[in-house]
């Protein structure tokens, strides 16, 4: 039984080390290029931030807020993140509890 737990611990540690070395190999000193449409949205957000909103009517401010929300929603949708579902996290935790 002790050998089994030792082998499992070694396997888990080796699997945890592999992604870290792969991430280190992927990092480049070059900067990440931003797509043109994303850059235009970011530029528009900067323009809105720099605007003098004190002279605008309330309806115009409302339109600007709507526009900012839409741009932020589109930027989040175009993001390239890694997402874990709650079910996957629960399964991983249960497996770890059962194995260790």
């Amino acid at each position: 039984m002790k050998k089994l737990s030792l082998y499992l611990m070694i396997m888990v540690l080796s699997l945890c080390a592999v992604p870290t070395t792969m991430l280190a190999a992927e990092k480049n000193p070059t900067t990440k290029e931003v797509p043109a449409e994303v850059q235009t949205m970011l530029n528009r957000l900067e323009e809105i931030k720099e605007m003098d909103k004190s002279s605008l009517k309330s309806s115009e401010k409302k339109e600007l807020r709507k526009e900012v929300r839409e741009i932020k929603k589109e930027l989040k949708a175009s993001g390239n993140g890694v997402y874990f579902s709650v079910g996957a996290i629960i399964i991983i935790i249960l497996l770890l509890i059962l194995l260790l």
Side-chain angles (χ1 to χ4, degrees):
M1 188 66 181
K2 292 207 179 233
K3 285 186 181 181
L4 178 65
S5 64
L6 176 68
Y7 291 139
L8 285 174
M9 286 175 49
I10 290 172
M11 183 179 69
V12 169
L13 289 175
S14 66
L15 289 175
C16 292
V18 170
T20 350
T21 57
M22 288 172 41
L23 284 175
E26 289 178 2
K27 290 186 179 176
N28 299 357
T30 60
T31 59
K32 204 177 190 184
E33 291 186 23
V34 179
E37 58 188 28
V38 173
Q39 189 61 44
T40 56
M41 287 188 269
L42 290 173
N43 290 341
R44 179 63 182 148
L45 282 176
E46 287 298 319
E47 287 176 12
I48 292 173
K49 282 183 186 177
E50 294 171 359
M51 286 176 68
D52 182 24
K53 297 176 194 94
S54 61
S55 62
L56 297 176
K57 295 179 189 175
S58 63
S59 60
E60 293 171 338
K61 289 180 185 180
K62 190 174 183 180
E63 289 296 320
L64 279 178
R65 283 194 300 268
K66 268 187 185 178
E67 185 179 355
V68 168
R69 278 190 227 122
E70 287 296 320
I71 291 174
K72 286 185 178 181
K73 189 186 301 183
E74 289 176 19
L75 286 175
K76 282 183 183 178
S78 68
N80 297 327
V82 177
Y83 301 102
F84 291 110
S85 66
V86 174
I89 292 173
I90 291 172
I91 290 173
I92 291 170
I93 291 172
L94 287 174
L95 286 173
L96 286 174
I97 290 172
L98 290 174
L99 293 174
L100 299 176

XYZ file of all heavy atoms in Angstrom:
782
model
N 0.822 -1.192 0.000
C 0.000 0.000 0.000
C 0.868 1.258 0.000
O 0.523 2.230 -0.649
C -0.913 -0.043 1.231
C -1.945 1.031 1.245
S -3.087 0.773 -0.088
C -4.127 2.151 0.138
N 1.984 1.223 0.709
C 2.856 2.392 0.750
C 3.486 2.634 -0.620
O 3.678 3.781 -1.014
C 3.929 2.213 1.814
C 3.373 2.232 3.214
C 4.417 2.710 4.158
C 3.804 2.723 5.542
N 3.947 3.971 6.185
N 3.805 1.538 -1.335
C 4.389 1.702 -2.664
C 3.374 2.321 -3.612
O 3.730 3.170 -4.440
C 4.856 0.354 -3.218
C 6.123 -0.150 -2.604
C 6.585 -1.412 -3.297
C 7.848 -1.938 -2.663
N 8.330 -3.141 -3.326
N 2.128 1.899 -3.483
C 1.090 2.441 -4.358
C 0.928 3.943 -4.142
O 0.873 4.713 -5.110
C -0.242 1.729 -4.101
C -1.428 2.236 -4.928
C -1.192 1.964 -6.409
C -2.701 1.583 -4.448
N 0.871 4.378 -2.901
C 0.728 5.807 -2.640
C 1.971 6.574 -3.082
O 1.868 7.706 -3.562
C 0.436 6.055 -1.163
O 1.525 5.641 -0.376
N 3.142 5.971 -2.944
C 4.378 6.608 -3.408
C 4.348 6.781 -4.921
O 4.669 7.858 -5.439
C 5.594 5.788 -2.982
C 6.939 6.292 -3.489
C 7.260 7.625 -2.829
C 8.024 5.283 -3.228
N 3.930 5.736 -5.637
C 3.866 5.822 -7.097
C 2.832 6.853 -7.546
O 3.054 7.595 -8.511
C 3.539 4.459 -7.707
C 4.666 3.454 -7.567
C 4.394 2.135 -7.241
C 5.993 3.820 -7.765
C 5.411 1.208 -7.112
C 7.019 2.907 -7.635
C 6.726 1.597 -7.302
O 7.729 0.692 -7.176
N 1.711 6.900 -6.857
C 0.685 7.886 -7.206
C 1.184 9.310 -6.978
O 0.934 10.207 -7.796
C -0.592 7.644 -6.403
C -1.442 6.455 -6.850
C -2.586 6.240 -5.887
C -1.955 6.678 -8.251
N 1.884 9.518 -5.882
C 2.418 10.852 -5.611
C 3.449 11.253 -6.653
O 3.473 12.400 -7.110
C 3.018 10.908 -4.203
C 1.970 10.931 -3.117
S 2.605 10.866 -1.438
C 3.860 12.100 -1.435
N 4.298 10.314 -7.049
C 5.300 10.613 -8.076
C 4.625 10.939 -9.397
O 5.016 11.875 -10.106
C 6.277 9.424 -8.223
C 7.154 9.320 -6.974
C 7.136 9.578 -9.468
C 8.018 8.084 -6.931
N 3.565 10.183 -9.735
C 2.850 10.423 -10.982
C 2.189 11.807 -10.970
O 2.282 12.563 -11.939
C 1.782 9.353 -11.201
C 1.053 9.502 -12.519
S -0.170 8.247 -12.802
C -1.389 8.677 -11.578
N 1.546 12.161 -9.884
C 0.883 13.460 -9.795
C 1.899 14.585 -9.874
O 1.701 15.587 -10.566
C 0.043 13.548 -8.501
C -0.418 14.963 -8.259
C -1.139 12.610 -8.569
N 3.009 14.449 -9.178
C 4.032 15.497 -9.223
C 4.648 15.633 -10.606
O 4.942 16.735 -11.057
C 5.110 15.218 -8.173
C 4.679 15.433 -6.720
C 5.792 14.998 -5.777
C 4.314 16.873 -6.479
N 4.844 14.511 -11.291
C 5.421 14.591 -12.634
C 4.436 15.221 -13.609
O 4.828 15.956 -14.516
C 5.851 13.211 -13.125
O 4.712 12.382 -13.296
N 3.139 14.954 -13.438
C 2.149 15.568 -14.305
C 2.017 17.061 -14.036
O 1.692 17.833 -14.932
C 0.793 14.882 -14.132
C 0.699 13.465 -14.697
C -0.657 12.857 -14.350
C 0.939 13.444 -16.183
N 2.260 17.478 -12.829
C 2.202 18.902 -12.514
C 3.421 19.642 -13.053
O 3.350 20.831 -13.345
C 2.117 19.109 -11.009
S 0.559 18.558 -10.314
N 4.537 18.977 -13.191
C 5.758 19.629 -13.643
C 5.778 19.801 -15.158
O 6.373 20.735 -15.667
C 6.974 18.820 -13.203
N 5.107 18.931 -15.900
C 5.137 18.988 -17.361
C 4.522 20.278 -17.898
O 5.148 20.945 -18.719
C 4.443 17.737 -17.960
C 4.257 17.884 -19.454
C 5.266 16.491 -17.653
N 3.332 20.678 -17.471
C 2.782 21.926 -18.018
C 3.631 23.156 -17.710
O 3.680 24.083 -18.508
C 1.412 22.043 -17.356
C 1.059 20.670 -16.961
C 2.352 19.990 -16.654
N 4.307 23.172 -16.575
C 5.130 24.334 -16.239
C 6.302 24.455 -17.201
O 6.644 25.550 -17.630
C 5.683 24.213 -14.816
O 5.088 23.155 -14.142
C 5.505 25.468 -14.043
N 6.915 23.341 -17.534
C 8.036 23.418 -18.469
C 7.543 23.772 -19.863
O 8.242 24.461 -20.597
C 8.798 22.082 -18.505
O 7.888 21.034 -18.847
C 9.453 21.785 -17.180
N 6.353 23.330 -20.216
C 5.819 23.683 -21.526
C 5.501 25.170 -21.588
O 5.740 25.814 -22.605
C 4.567 22.860 -21.830
C 4.881 21.410 -22.116
S 3.458 20.324 -22.274
C 2.304 21.262 -23.177
N 4.992 25.735 -20.514
C 4.703 27.163 -20.489
C 5.978 27.988 -20.578
O 6.004 29.028 -21.221
C 3.938 27.537 -19.223
C 2.465 27.163 -19.199
C 1.873 27.474 -17.840
C 1.711 27.884 -20.276
N 7.032 27.512 -19.945
C 8.295 28.242 -19.988
C 8.853 28.242 -21.403
O 9.460 29.214 -21.839
C 9.288 27.622 -19.016
N 8.648 27.173 -22.142
C 9.154 27.101 -23.503
C 8.348 27.973 -24.455
O 8.861 28.466 -25.450
C 9.141 25.658 -23.986
N 7.070 28.184 -24.162
C 6.212 28.951 -25.046
C 6.424 30.455 -24.946
O 6.110 31.183 -25.860
C 4.740 28.649 -24.742
C 4.311 27.279 -25.170
C 2.860 27.004 -24.804
O 2.205 27.906 -24.256
O 2.406 25.888 -25.059
N 6.926 30.943 -23.842
C 7.049 32.386 -23.647
C 8.121 32.956 -24.566
O 9.253 32.497 -24.597
C 7.382 32.702 -22.195
C 6.222 32.431 -21.279
C 6.502 32.870 -19.877
C 5.293 32.605 -19.011
N 5.545 32.918 -17.633
N 7.729 33.963 -25.289
C 8.649 34.649 -26.197
C 8.871 36.065 -25.688
O 7.979 36.673 -25.105
C 8.051 34.724 -27.604
C 7.805 33.356 -28.201
O 8.122 32.335 -27.625
N 7.213 33.346 -29.381
N 10.033 36.621 -25.970
C 10.239 38.013 -25.592
C 9.459 38.977 -26.484
O 9.324 40.131 -26.172
C 11.750 38.208 -25.752
C 12.187 37.135 -26.684
C 11.252 36.003 -26.489
N 8.924 38.488 -27.622
C 8.163 39.363 -28.506
C 6.816 39.674 -27.883
O 6.261 38.898 -27.122
C 7.929 38.689 -29.874
O 7.209 37.469 -29.668
C 9.249 38.383 -30.555
N 6.295 40.817 -28.243
C 4.999 41.220 -27.702
C 3.880 40.558 -28.485
O 4.038 40.212 -29.650
C 4.839 42.749 -27.768
O 4.947 43.157 -29.131
C 5.879 43.436 -26.915
N 2.758 40.428 -27.840
C 1.595 39.810 -28.453
C 0.910 40.835 -29.355
O 0.680 41.965 -28.947
C 0.651 39.374 -27.330
C -0.271 38.285 -27.664
C -1.054 37.957 -26.411
C -1.845 36.708 -26.571
N -2.661 36.455 -25.386
N 0.583 40.423 -30.566
C -0.083 41.335 -31.478
C -1.574 41.322 -31.195
O -2.181 40.286 -30.996
C 0.179 40.924 -32.921
C 1.610 41.138 -33.347
C 1.802 40.862 -34.821
O 0.818 40.938 -35.579
O 2.923 40.565 -35.194
N -2.160 42.507 -31.200
C -3.582 42.657 -30.941
C -4.287 42.780 -32.284
O -3.855 43.556 -33.142
C -3.841 43.914 -30.077
C -5.306 44.100 -29.812
C -3.051 43.824 -28.784
N -5.365 41.998 -32.506
C -6.104 42.126 -33.772
C -6.618 43.543 -33.976
O -6.851 44.291 -33.019
C -7.269 41.149 -33.597
C -6.819 40.187 -32.555
C -5.886 40.941 -31.661
N -6.820 43.908 -35.226
C -7.200 45.285 -35.573
C -8.552 45.672 -34.975
O -8.715 46.787 -34.468
C -7.232 45.439 -37.094
N -9.525 44.748 -35.029
C -10.852 45.108 -34.507
C -10.824 45.307 -32.996
O -11.517 46.173 -32.461
C -11.881 44.054 -34.892
C -11.543 42.666 -34.406
C -12.473 41.605 -34.960
O -12.995 41.823 -36.062
O -12.653 40.590 -34.282
N -10.000 44.515 -32.300
C -9.865 44.685 -30.850
C -9.184 46.011 -30.550
O -9.573 46.724 -29.627
C -9.086 43.499 -30.241
C -8.786 43.736 -28.773
C -9.863 42.201 -30.417
N -8.207 46.350 -31.340
C -7.496 47.616 -31.136
C -8.424 48.809 -31.356
O -8.363 49.786 -30.616
C -6.280 47.701 -32.064
C -5.383 48.873 -31.776
C -4.791 48.833 -30.382
O -4.350 47.800 -29.928
N -4.793 49.969 -29.712
N -9.301 48.723 -32.347
C -10.244 49.826 -32.573
C -11.205 49.963 -31.400
O -11.549 51.083 -31.010
C -11.042 49.633 -33.876
O -11.715 48.372 -33.831
C -10.144 49.699 -35.091
N -11.648 48.824 -30.839
C -12.535 48.893 -29.669
C -11.814 49.511 -28.478
O -12.388 50.327 -27.743
C -13.060 47.496 -29.313
C -14.105 46.981 -30.277
S -14.864 45.469 -29.707
C -13.814 44.263 -30.465
N -10.551 49.137 -28.278
C -9.775 49.701 -27.177
C -9.563 51.201 -27.367
O -9.633 51.980 -26.407
C -8.435 48.982 -27.047
C -8.495 47.532 -26.549
C -7.123 46.893 -26.629
C -9.034 47.472 -25.143
N -9.302 51.595 -28.609
C -9.137 53.023 -28.899
C -10.421 53.799 -28.614
O -10.385 54.903 -28.068
C -8.715 53.233 -30.352
C -7.299 52.769 -30.605
O -6.510 52.613 -29.683
N -6.987 52.520 -31.859
N -11.560 53.204 -28.966
C -12.840 53.872 -28.703
C -13.085 54.014 -27.199
O -13.568 55.052 -26.739
C -13.974 53.084 -29.355
C -15.340 53.675 -29.138
C -15.473 55.042 -29.761
N -16.817 55.577 -29.452
C -17.090 56.848 -29.285
N -16.138 57.742 -29.416
N -18.297 57.241 -28.995
N -12.726 52.975 -26.433
C -12.870 53.068 -24.978
C -12.006 54.188 -24.409
O -12.433 54.928 -23.515
C -12.492 51.742 -24.318
C -13.532 50.631 -24.368
C -12.968 49.355 -23.758
C -14.790 51.043 -23.656
N -10.800 54.337 -24.926
C -9.923 55.422 -24.473
C -10.508 56.785 -24.818
O -10.437 57.715 -24.024
C -8.526 55.271 -25.089
C -7.721 54.142 -24.501
C -7.449 54.338 -23.017
O -7.152 55.480 -22.603
O -7.564 53.355 -22.280
N -11.094 56.897 -26.019
C -11.720 58.162 -26.408
C -12.856 58.516 -25.457
O -13.012 59.677 -25.063
C -12.268 58.056 -27.834
C -11.230 58.047 -28.908
C -11.846 57.828 -30.291
O -13.087 57.911 -30.417
O -11.081 57.573 -31.221
N -13.660 57.526 -25.115
C -14.793 57.769 -24.220
C -14.307 58.178 -22.839
O -14.881 59.079 -22.206
C -15.705 56.525 -24.161
C -16.389 56.319 -25.515
C -16.747 56.653 -23.059
C -17.169 55.047 -25.635
N -13.233 57.546 -22.365
C -12.682 57.909 -21.054
C -12.182 59.353 -21.033
O -12.316 60.049 -20.028
C -11.526 56.976 -20.682
C -11.950 55.636 -20.187
C -10.731 54.831 -19.795
C -11.088 53.414 -19.418
N -9.898 52.617 -19.110
N -11.592 59.793 -22.126
C -10.995 61.123 -22.175
C -12.008 62.229 -22.482
O -11.672 63.408 -22.387
C -9.877 61.139 -23.222
C -8.706 60.259 -22.844
C -7.687 60.107 -23.971
O -7.914 60.683 -25.059
O -6.695 59.416 -23.746
N -13.229 61.852 -22.827
C -14.243 62.862 -23.164
C -14.648 63.673 -21.941
O -14.592 63.189 -20.815
C -15.499 62.181 -23.731
C -15.346 61.662 -25.126
S -16.818 60.784 -25.671
C -17.991 62.087 -25.788
N -15.047 64.913 -22.192
C -15.603 65.754 -21.140
C -17.108 65.495 -21.097
O -17.852 65.957 -21.960
C -15.313 67.221 -21.426
C -15.825 68.119 -20.330
O -15.971 67.633 -19.182
O -16.100 69.302 -20.623
N -17.542 64.748 -20.109
C -18.936 64.313 -20.050
C -19.823 65.302 -19.296
O -21.034 65.109 -19.231
C -19.015 62.927 -19.400
C -18.294 61.879 -20.206
C -18.308 60.550 -19.479
C -17.320 59.618 -20.093
N -16.039 59.613 -19.462
N -19.255 66.331 -18.743
C -20.052 67.280 -17.966
C -20.992 68.100 -18.853
O -22.040 68.542 -18.402
C -19.145 68.215 -17.169
O -18.332 68.956 -18.052
N -20.642 68.277 -20.099
C -21.480 69.084 -20.986
C -22.517 68.248 -21.739
O -23.319 68.792 -22.490
C -20.600 69.829 -21.991
O -19.900 68.898 -22.782
N -22.516 66.944 -21.551
C -23.454 66.079 -22.264
C -24.790 65.997 -21.542
O -24.877 66.151 -20.327
C -22.871 64.666 -22.399
C -21.586 64.524 -23.206
C -21.103 63.091 -23.149
C -21.788 64.942 -24.632
N -25.834 65.721 -22.312
C -27.157 65.504 -21.735
C -27.199 64.103 -21.140
O -26.350 63.250 -21.425
C -28.230 65.626 -22.816
C -28.344 66.997 -23.412
C -29.420 66.995 -24.477
C -29.417 68.293 -25.250
N -30.375 68.255 -26.364
N -28.206 63.857 -20.322
C -28.317 62.548 -19.676
C -28.557 61.435 -20.692
O -28.078 60.318 -20.536
C -29.422 62.557 -18.629
O -30.674 62.797 -19.246
N -29.298 61.725 -21.755
C -29.546 60.703 -22.780
C -28.252 60.343 -23.512
O -28.020 59.177 -23.859
C -30.602 61.181 -23.767
O -30.176 62.366 -24.412
N -27.409 61.357 -23.746
C -26.129 61.094 -24.410
C -25.207 60.277 -23.514
O -24.497 59.387 -23.973
C -25.469 62.413 -24.803
C -26.228 63.165 -25.877
C -25.686 64.558 -26.100
O -25.017 65.108 -25.185
O -25.943 65.125 -27.176
N -25.221 60.572 -22.216
C -24.411 59.798 -21.268
C -24.885 58.346 -21.227
O -24.078 57.426 -21.164
C -24.496 60.406 -19.874
C -23.770 61.714 -19.720
C -23.913 62.241 -18.308
C -23.297 63.605 -18.141
N -23.440 64.126 -16.779
N -26.206 58.180 -21.294
C -26.775 56.836 -21.278
C -26.326 56.049 -22.501
O -25.975 54.869 -22.410
C -28.297 56.938 -21.240
C -29.004 55.650 -20.979
C -30.497 55.900 -20.817
C -31.226 54.631 -20.470
N -32.667 54.865 -20.316
N -26.312 56.697 -23.660
C -25.845 56.048 -24.885
C -24.370 55.661 -24.783
O -23.971 54.586 -25.226
C -26.073 56.971 -26.096
C -27.517 57.132 -26.484
C -28.133 55.827 -26.949
O -27.466 55.062 -27.659
O -29.297 55.588 -26.574
N -23.575 56.537 -24.188
C -22.154 56.225 -24.010
C -21.966 55.025 -23.084
O -21.134 54.147 -23.347
C -21.401 57.433 -23.440
C -20.995 58.513 -24.432
C -20.318 59.655 -23.708
C -20.094 57.954 -25.501
N -22.751 54.965 -22.006
C -22.663 53.824 -21.093
C -23.041 52.528 -21.797
O -22.385 51.500 -21.617
C -23.543 54.052 -19.872
C -22.962 54.990 -18.853
C -23.696 54.925 -17.530
N -25.109 55.278 -17.634
C -25.602 56.505 -17.465
N -24.790 57.507 -17.178
N -26.896 56.733 -17.574
N -24.082 52.589 -22.621
C -24.495 51.409 -23.390
C -23.365 50.959 -24.319
O -23.076 49.779 -24.445
C -25.734 51.717 -24.224
C -27.028 51.424 -23.573
C -28.146 51.614 -24.582
C -29.490 51.455 -23.949
N -30.583 51.691 -24.896
N -22.764 51.936 -24.982
C -21.684 51.623 -25.918
C -20.500 50.986 -25.193
O -19.920 50.007 -25.666
C -21.250 52.895 -26.644
C -20.213 52.653 -27.715
C -19.824 53.927 -28.439
O -20.425 54.989 -28.187
O -18.886 53.851 -29.254
N -20.155 51.521 -24.034
C -19.035 50.973 -23.260
C -19.343 49.543 -22.835
O -18.499 48.650 -22.934
C -18.730 51.868 -22.032
C -17.799 51.170 -21.072
C -18.142 53.189 -22.487
N -20.579 49.298 -22.379
C -20.956 47.939 -21.973
C -20.871 46.971 -23.139
O -20.389 45.847 -22.994
C -22.370 47.933 -21.399
C -22.412 48.349 -19.962
C -23.796 48.086 -19.378
N -24.182 49.283 -18.651
C -25.257 50.016 -18.862
N -26.132 49.666 -19.772
N -25.495 51.084 -18.152
N -21.330 47.390 -24.323
C -21.286 46.524 -25.502
C -19.840 46.220 -25.903
O -19.497 45.091 -26.222
C -22.027 47.181 -26.671
C -23.511 47.184 -26.521
C -24.100 45.788 -26.499
O -23.645 44.936 -27.273
O -25.011 45.550 -25.679
N -18.997 47.238 -25.868
C -17.592 47.033 -26.238
C -16.924 46.081 -25.259
O -16.202 45.161 -25.661
C -16.845 48.383 -26.304
C -17.336 49.204 -27.499
C -15.343 48.168 -26.403
C -16.771 50.607 -27.564
N -17.177 46.267 -23.964
C -16.576 45.385 -22.966
C -17.077 43.961 -23.119
O -16.307 43.000 -22.963
C -16.847 45.906 -21.560
C -16.011 47.118 -21.216
C -16.213 47.553 -19.784
C -15.322 48.732 -19.456
N -15.468 49.157 -18.065
N -18.352 43.796 -23.444
C -18.905 42.461 -23.653
C -18.227 41.777 -24.850
O -17.876 40.600 -24.798
C -20.405 42.542 -23.891
C -21.101 41.196 -23.911
C -22.567 41.283 -24.303
C -23.377 42.151 -23.388
N -24.811 42.167 -23.743
N -18.036 42.529 -25.930
C -17.383 41.982 -27.114
C -15.923 41.632 -26.833
O -15.410 40.631 -27.323
C -17.478 42.969 -28.268
C -18.871 43.110 -28.841
C -18.950 44.177 -29.918
O -17.895 44.553 -30.464
O -20.075 44.627 -30.208
N -15.244 42.469 -26.046
C -13.851 42.183 -25.713
C -13.737 40.922 -24.861
O -12.825 40.120 -25.045
C -13.218 43.370 -24.985
C -12.895 44.586 -25.850
C -12.393 45.722 -24.988
C -11.881 44.236 -26.912
N -14.668 40.734 -23.925
C -14.649 39.517 -23.119
C -14.923 38.294 -23.970
O -14.333 37.236 -23.766
C -15.681 39.601 -21.993
C -15.254 40.444 -20.842
C -16.293 40.424 -19.739
C -15.901 41.325 -18.597
N -16.921 41.345 -17.539
N -15.826 38.425 -24.934
C -16.168 37.299 -25.794
C -15.005 36.919 -26.707
O -14.835 35.750 -27.057
C -17.394 37.626 -26.634
N -14.185 37.878 -27.072
C -13.073 37.597 -27.967
C -11.812 37.165 -27.221
O -10.804 36.860 -27.844
C -12.738 38.823 -28.817
O -12.213 39.847 -28.008
N -11.860 37.119 -25.883
C -10.700 36.731 -25.087
C -10.328 35.271 -25.297
O -11.170 34.417 -25.588
N -9.041 34.960 -25.158
C -8.551 33.597 -25.346
C -8.083 33.029 -24.020
O -6.938 32.706 -23.836
C -7.398 33.580 -26.349
C -7.834 34.049 -27.706
O -8.967 33.816 -28.098
N -6.960 34.700 -28.432
N -8.988 32.879 -23.100
C -8.629 32.371 -21.783
C -8.889 30.883 -21.665
O -9.567 30.272 -22.476
N -8.333 30.283 -20.645
C -8.584 28.889 -20.348
C -9.589 28.859 -19.213
O -9.364 29.438 -18.154
C -7.278 28.174 -19.925
C -7.561 26.744 -19.538
C -6.273 28.244 -21.045
N -10.698 28.180 -19.443
C -11.765 28.160 -18.464
C -12.009 26.737 -17.996
O -11.989 25.800 -18.782
C -13.057 28.728 -19.056
C -12.896 30.139 -19.541
C -12.750 30.426 -20.885
C -12.867 31.186 -18.645
C -12.585 31.720 -21.328
C -12.715 32.488 -19.066
C -12.576 32.745 -20.406
O -12.407 34.024 -20.831
N -12.236 26.577 -16.702
C -12.599 25.298 -16.121
C -14.045 25.380 -15.671
O -14.440 26.326 -15.003
C -11.721 24.963 -14.905
C -10.296 24.673 -15.264
C -9.292 25.555 -14.924
C -9.960 23.523 -15.928
C -7.988 25.303 -15.242
C -8.648 23.253 -16.259
C -7.654 24.140 -15.911
N -14.804 24.350 -16.015
C -16.180 24.339 -15.546
C -16.201 23.882 -14.093
O -15.267 23.258 -13.593
C -17.022 23.397 -16.399
O -16.589 22.070 -16.215
N -17.280 24.180 -13.416
C -17.412 23.805 -12.006
C -17.433 22.290 -11.878
O -16.845 21.720 -10.960
C -18.697 24.432 -11.415
C -18.942 23.956 -10.006
C -18.612 25.938 -11.469
N -18.087 21.619 -12.828
C -18.143 20.152 -12.801
C -16.762 19.535 -12.920
O -16.443 18.557 -12.233
N -15.925 20.094 -13.784
C -14.574 19.563 -13.954
C -13.758 19.749 -12.682
O -12.999 18.859 -12.285
C -13.889 20.244 -15.126
N -13.913 20.878 -12.037
C -13.172 21.131 -10.800
C -13.613 20.163 -9.709
O -12.786 19.621 -8.962
C -13.355 22.604 -10.358
C -12.654 23.522 -11.360
C -12.803 22.826 -8.957
C -12.907 24.977 -11.122
N -14.924 19.916 -9.621
C -15.428 18.977 -8.613
C -14.907 17.569 -8.874
O -14.482 16.872 -7.947
C -16.976 19.007 -8.586
C -17.449 20.344 -8.027
C -17.535 17.850 -7.760
C -18.936 20.554 -8.124
N -14.889 17.155 -10.129
C -14.373 15.817 -10.467
C -12.904 15.706 -10.113
O -12.449 14.705 -9.563
C -14.621 15.515 -11.962
C -16.119 15.316 -12.188
C -13.844 14.279 -12.408
C -16.501 15.174 -13.639
N -12.131 16.714 -10.404
C -10.696 16.702 -10.087
C -10.485 16.610 -8.581
O -9.659 15.830 -8.083
C -9.994 17.958 -10.670
C -9.959 17.864 -12.201
C -8.587 18.110 -10.121
C -9.519 19.128 -12.861
N -11.242 17.389 -7.830
C -11.104 17.355 -6.365
C -11.495 15.989 -5.820
O -10.805 15.423 -4.949
C -11.950 18.484 -5.723
C -11.330 19.831 -6.049
C -12.044 18.300 -4.213
C -12.172 21.012 -5.644
N -12.599 15.409 -6.342
C -13.009 14.087 -5.881
C -11.972 13.017 -6.202
O -11.687 12.149 -5.379
C -14.363 13.709 -6.502
C -15.572 14.440 -5.941
C -16.813 14.073 -6.729
C -15.757 14.110 -4.469
N -11.390 13.091 -7.381
C -10.344 12.137 -7.737
C -9.132 12.266 -6.827
O -8.538 11.259 -6.418
C -9.940 12.299 -9.201
C -10.923 11.777 -10.231
C -10.471 12.158 -11.631
C -11.083 10.275 -10.116
N -8.771 13.494 -6.526
C -7.633 13.696 -5.627
C -7.923 13.152 -4.229
O -7.052 12.535 -3.593
C -7.278 15.177 -5.541
C -6.578 15.756 -6.774
C -6.422 17.255 -6.628
C -5.243 15.106 -6.998
N -9.145 13.364 -3.758
C -9.503 12.855 -2.432
C -9.487 11.328 -2.419
O -8.977 10.701 -1.490
C -10.886 13.408 -1.993
C -10.759 14.892 -1.710
C -11.414 12.665 -0.774
C -12.106 15.572 -1.470
N -10.045 10.716 -3.475
C -10.100 9.258 -3.519
C -8.727 8.627 -3.682
O -8.445 7.565 -3.106
C -11.009 8.805 -4.662
C -12.508 9.064 -4.457
C -13.266 8.713 -5.724
C -13.026 8.289 -3.275
N -7.864 9.263 -4.458
C -6.542 8.685 -4.701
C -5.584 8.925 -3.558
O -4.683 8.124 -3.303
C -5.952 9.232 -5.991
C -6.689 8.790 -7.267
C -6.091 9.508 -8.456
C -6.621 7.288 -7.435
N -5.727 10.012 -2.870
C -4.794 10.308 -1.788
C -5.495 10.074 -0.495
O -5.335 9.676 0.457
C -4.319 11.761 -1.866
C -3.578 12.107 -3.142
C -3.243 13.587 -3.145
C -2.317 11.309 -3.289
